[in-house]
Amino acid sequence: MIITPMINEQLLNPRSIVVIGGSNNVHKPGGAIVRNIKDGGFGGDLHIVNPKEDEVQGIKAFHDVKDIPQTEMAVLVVAARFCPDYVDFLCAEKGVRAFVIISAGFGEETKEGAALEQRILDTCKKYGAALIGPNCIGLLNRNHHSVFTLPIPNLNPQGVDFVSGSGATAVFILESAVIKGLQFNSVWSIGNGKQIGIEDVLHYMDENFNPETDSKVKLLYIENISNPDKLLFHASRLIHKGCRIAAIKAGSSDSGSRAASSHTGAIASSDSAVEALFRKAGIVRCYSREELTTVGCIFTLPELKGKNFAIVTHAGGPGVMLTDALSKGGLNVPSLASEPAAEELKTKLFPGSSVANPIDFLATGTPEQLGTVIDYCENKFNNIDAIAVIYGTPGLTQLYEAYDVLDKKIKECKKPIFPILPSLHTAGPEVEEFLKRGHVNFSDEVTLATALSQIMKTPQASRFEVELYGVDISRLNKIIFREIERLKFEGVERGYLAPDVVREILSCAGIPLVSEMVSTLKEALVAFAEEVGFPVVAKVVGPVHKSDVGGVALNIRTPEHLALEFDRMMKIQDATGVMVQKMLKGTELFIGAKYEERFGHVVLCGLGGIFVEVLKDVSSGLAPLSYDEAYSMIRSLRGYKILKGTRGQKGINEQKYAEIIVRLSTLLRFATEIKEMDINPLLADENEVVAVDARILIER
């Protein structure tokens, strides 16, 4: 087994554990953690240190840590100020090489606490000891239950691996999961995560992954991504090995409202970076505990291969709500009324039943009829990819027989069956018995549909091969170096590039550009306009937001009109010249990018013009991007139907739009000095996609 430098065998499968601060009071962490380790069937030696007790929960207690035998792992449930000395002694004298520190009061609170935490980290590094915490609920796996909280979920090798940056949130997510029947393989509460963070746990799981024995479902609750590259690398590798990963990233909105000097700056935030990272890694992004655990339950079922659902129900309303929710999420509930087998099925149900889809076999329908309907969906309706079964009770009958049928069909059928059993109170014992057989339950049909749509719209994990796609990196580097030297000479840290330099950089990526000229000479611009042909567009050069200062004039058709606009624009404050371009027609598109610290460049695409600010219908990706990633970004836009063509209008050349996105992202990969960029608009038709206006901000 490969072990990462921080996660060792003593942490994962210790032969002995000491609980410092263990007690008889199971309503406090020290007592609860002893109870959980005992009740979990820990097979090694369990020692307790408590200066006031002779016996703790039937186990001999040591009054002084000096008296305990050699031990592999320690759980500390004492005040923060005592922890560094315990860690020093246990490492040096008792051979401890793994710690779970429950205690709070460290770097999350004060500078003094941070100093205590650093002492612990230094000692662990010196002795090669692993550290979970501090400020966590502990570590739970099939070898030891070193957590002080409840619930303790059912554990098995094919259960979910769950890693959380918050202990309390981990408990609430476990509560949500247990009710659904979701089982676990391990639960990691990393707390402050100074030594072992979420990325390190994924690293361990990736390096040690065994497709025959290991869990293939990973759920994450993340509050801080300290190493985006590491998270991306190991998450995407796990997914390529057959795993499925879903995550909540909390706390993304704090920096999202910061002002910036361009369209991209206003939209791109750390949340855009998170979104881009998750898309690139293939991680399903969730926004609530219910959604995360619902996605986790879906991951335990056979993978959904298509978009067509059959809804089987004996209650019409939930069937209608599920139909609406699936359709809204891009999934289908196709009509079965014209299927040859539909009339045949109808003869096997009570009069008044509907087989149109949803298949409603009435509140009086029998368990036998439930089985028959599922058989038809599995074997005779070929355009069905999955089956959702909504089956509750008004309290008139017990559901054991119906759930026996559902249990049998889930095990027999190749198509995934999603059980929606809403009667958690009225039919609680029946649902509990159903879950004990290893099944999951989606008690709310709309939550299920929302989670399914999130899964379906998550792209495949990307590969890590970087291709240049013809981008001239050598020329790009020379231009960037020249402009950085200019900034140094001018004594400024950052600045926007001149239009001609922007054109130079875009040409390095082979991005088509509209013909244009920048000048302070009216006669030269008129001559250029006559050469390229009217109508033309005139734009002031200098002000960042040209439209806001009246610095854009469209559809100029004569030399006289152009001369008037030139005179007007040169009077605008900060004007340094006027740009004239050939006026083109087409759908306005947008591509932007913003450099996010630690993440790299987040690339955005969407509808252009004012729609960028008004609709904010943009999709994000993390540079560099592949063609598959670019197509996924384009097709995830709400306005994608406009790009495809609507009401008789032809669509844009999607392939060329994707090509520009890919080439731009490749260019950015080699130009970290570019901090913000947007091309707005690009004009696109069925043949070409051409950049009309662009801005680039660089920084020394």
Side-chain angles (χ1 to χ4, degrees):
M1 174 182 286
I2 301 170
I3 300 293
T4 65
M6 292 175 284
I7 297 176
N8 55 29
E9 188 68 17
Q10 292 93 331
L11 178 68
L12 299 170
N13 189 18
R15 289 174 294 183
S16 51
I17 298 175
V18 59
V19 179
I20 311 293
S23 75
N24 285 306
N25 188 346
V26 297
H27 300 294
K28 291 186 176 181
I33 209 155
V34 173
R35 175 201 63 201
N36 288 344
I37 293 173
K38 283 184 60 187
D39 291 351
F42 175 61
D45 298 324
L46 179 59
H47 311 303
I48 313 293
V49 174
N50 185 314
K52 298 178 181 179
E53 301 282 355
D54 294 326
E55 186 177 279
V56 169
Q57 299 182 41
I59 300 172
K60 175 191 172 183
F62 295 90
H63 291 178
D64 195 314
V65 69
K66 295 177 182 177
D67 298 328
I68 69 168
Q70 292 287 298
T71 307
E72 293 194 346
M73 188 181 104
V75 181
L76 272 58
V77 201
V78 293
R81 66 182 184 276
F82 299 124
C83 289
D85 288 341
Y86 273 121
V87 172
D88 287 345
F89 179 81
L90 289 166
C91 281
E93 303 296 332
K94 298 300 179 180
V96 172
R97 292 297 179 264
F99 292 90
V100 175
I101 301 183
I102 303 299
S103 318
F106 289 91
E108 79 281 1
E109 290 189 7
T110 63
K111 288 183 179 180
E112 292 77 14
L116 296 174
E117 192 168 13
Q118 189 60 48
R119 270 190 62 195
I120 293 170
L121 291 172
D122 291 343
T123 302
C124 288
K125 183 177 180 180
K126 177 181 177 181
Y127 288 95
L131 170 65
I132 293 289
N135 185 31
C136 69
I137 64 168
L139 173 65
L140 169 70
N141 64 24
R142 289 177 289 114
N143 299 319
H144 63 98
H145 297 184
S146 296
V147 293
F148 70 87
T149 55
L150 295 174
I152 303 293
N154 289 332
L155 297 169
N156 71 65
Q158 294 306 306
V160 171
D161 288 315
F162 173 42
V163 191
S164 176
S166 163
T169 306
V171 172
F172 301 150
I173 288 172
L174 288 172
E175 291 272 8
S176 172
V178 166
I179 291 170
K180 295 179 178 68
L182 188 59
Q183 300 187 32
F184 287 77
N185 176 55
S186 66
V187 177
W188 301 67
S189 166
I190 63 163
N192 292 357
K194 294 297 183 181
Q195 190 205 61
I196 297 174
I198 290 175
E199 299 92 335
D200 303 302
V201 179
L202 288 177
H203 180 185
Y204 162 75
M205 291 176 177
D206 174 23
E207 294 293 342
N208 293 279
F209 183 70
N210 183 332
E212 301 299 321
T213 59
D214 287 358
S215 167
K216 294 184 173 65
V217 179
K218 320 293 179 188
L219 301 182
L220 313 174
Y221 174 79
I222 306 171
E223 290 185 343
N224 176 52
I225 300 176
S226 59
N227 191 331
D229 283 344
K230 191 171 185 178
L231 178 66
L232 171 63
F233 181 75
H234 292 294
S236 58
R237 281 206 355 156
L238 281 164
I239 290 170
H240 283 302
K241 291 175 181 180
C243 291
R244 308 181 79 184
I245 303 178
I248 295 172
K249 170 61 179 77
S252 295
S253 61
D254 289 343
S255 60
S257 61
R258 68 180 183 270
S261 57
S262 70
H263 297 304
T264 306
I267 297 166
S269 67
S270 61
D271 194 57
S272 297
V274 170
E275 185 73 23
L277 174 66
F278 282 15
R279 285 177 62 85
K280 197 172 191 70
I283 297 170
V284 177
R285 189 171 189 186
C286 301
Y287 295 90
S288 71
R289 292 179 280 114
E290 283 298 302
E291 192 175 335
L292 182 69
T293 54
T294 300
V295 169
C297 289
I298 294 170
F299 282 168
T300 67
L301 301 178
E303 188 171 353
L304 183 60
K305 300 296 186 182
K307 293 186 175 183
N308 292 341
F309 270 76
I311 299 174
V312 180
T313 180
H314 64 173
V320 175
M321 288 190 286
L322 180 56
T323 301
D324 288 342
L326 289 171
S327 300
K328 183 179 178 182
L331 298 158
N332 306 320
V333 183
S335 174
L336 300 173
S338 60
E339 289 280 326
E343 286 302 316
E344 179 185 321
L345 172 60
K346 203 166 186 177
T347 64
K348 301 179 183 297
L349 306 177
F350 291 141
S353 298
S354 170
V355 295
N357 200 17
I359 302 171
D360 185 351
F361 63 105
L362 307 180
T364 52
T366 66
E368 182 184 10
Q369 289 174 334
L370 171 63
T372 300
V373 174
I374 293 174
D375 286 341
Y376 270 71
C377 293
E378 169 76 4
N379 301 310
K380 297 198 175 186
F381 295 142
N382 295 324
N383 63 334
I384 294 300
D385 303 304
I387 306 161
V389 176
I390 306 173
Y391 206 104
T393 176
L396 301 175
T397 58
Q398 291 187 321
L399 299 181
Y400 289 108
E401 189 178 348
Y403 290 173
D404 284 344
V405 170
L406 189 54
D407 166 57
K408 181 172 180 287
K409 296 302 177 186
I410 289 173
K411 292 172 179 175
E412 289 178 353
C413 292
K414 294 181 180 178
K415 295 175 183 177
I417 297 176
F418 297 86
I420 302 165
L421 316 180
S423 303
L424 300 181
H425 177 72
T426 310
E430 295 99 305
V431 173
E432 185 178 353
E433 179 64 30
F434 177 78
L435 297 181
K436 283 181 179 178
R437 300 183 185 187
H439 299 299
V440 293
N441 173 34
F442 308 94
S443 59
D444 180 76
E445 59 279 347
V446 175
T447 303
L448 168 62
T450 302
L452 282 165
S453 67
Q454 282 294 98
I455 293 170
M456 294 298 286
K457 74 180 186 182
T458 300
Q460 293 293 313
S462 64
R463 299 287 181 178
F464 283 91
E465 299 84 2
V466 177
E467 295 187 39
L468 296 183
Y469 297 108
V471 176
D472 191 338
I473 303 301
S474 175
R475 182 177 168 221
L476 170 70
N477 289 337
K478 291 175 183 176
I479 297 168
I480 294 292
F481 177 78
R482 182 190 74 206
E483 293 303 309
I484 292 297
E485 290 299 306
R486 178 182 60 80
L487 291 181
K488 289 180 182 177
F489 178 77
E490 294 173 357
V492 295
E493 291 297 316
R494 50 171 27 204
Y496 283 98
L497 299 180
D500 59 322
V501 180
V502 172
R503 289 178 69 85
E504 279 189 89
I505 287 177
L506 294 183
S507 67
C508 289
I511 295 174
L513 301 158
V514 65
S515 297
E516 69 179 32
M517 181 180 188
V518 177
S519 180
T520 56
L521 300 174
K522 185 192 309 182
E523 294 77 10
L525 292 173
V526 170
F528 172 78
E530 289 177 327
E531 180 184 342
V532 298
F534 288 97
V536 295
V537 178
K539 302 176 183 178
V540 69
V541 176
V544 174
H545 294 288
K546 300 174 178 63
S547 297
D548 294 350
V549 294
V552 178
L554 306 176
N555 204 27
I556 299 171
R557 294 185 172 276
T558 65
E560 293 76 16
H561 187 185
L562 177 57
L564 287 171
E565 292 294 350
F566 175 87
D567 291 338
R568 182 182 66 81
M569 289 183 186
M570 288 302 291
K571 295 175 184 176
I572 294 174
Q573 186 176 351
D574 298 326
T576 60
V578 173
M579 174 193 294
V580 172
Q581 298 173 327
K582 174 68 177 175
M583 185 164 176
L584 303 177
K585 291 183 178 180
T587 301
E588 291 190 343
L589 305 176
F590 161 81
I591 299 177
K594 181 168 179 61
Y595 185 81
E596 287 282 352
E597 203 65 42
R598 297 180 294 120
F599 287 81
H601 283 99
V602 179
V603 180
L604 306 170
C605 73
L607 289 169
I610 63 169
F611 294 109
V612 179
E613 292 175 337
V614 175
L615 298 181
K616 291 184 171 59
D617 179 18
V618 294
S619 183
S620 59
L622 204 58
L625 296 162
S626 66
Y627 273 90
D628 285 344
E629 289 177 279
Y631 281 121
S632 173
M633 288 168 62
I634 295 167
R635 292 166 186 173
S636 68
L637 294 167
R638 295 192 303 275
Y640 178 60
K641 288 183 180 179
I642 296 174
L643 306 186
K644 287 291 290 180
T646 182
R647 296 198 174 187
Q649 294 185 342
K650 293 182 179 179
I652 70 161
N653 189 319
E654 191 176 329
Q655 187 268 331
K656 291 200 173 180
Y657 189 25
E659 182 178 334
I660 291 174
I661 294 171
V662 169
R663 284 173 170 269
L664 183 67
S665 77
T666 305
L667 179 146
L668 292 167
R669 171 68 175 78
F670 296 93
T672 56
E673 297 87 353
I674 295 176
K675 300 305 178 186
E676 290 181 17
M677 166 188 280
D678 63 34
I679 308 176
N680 185 26
L682 295 101
L683 285 177
D685 59 22
E686 67 272 22
N687 299 314
E688 300 294 337
V689 180
V690 179
V692 174
D693 199 3
R695 287 183 303 221
I696 296 177
L697 177 70
I698 65 168
E699 185 175 279
R700 288 164 55 183

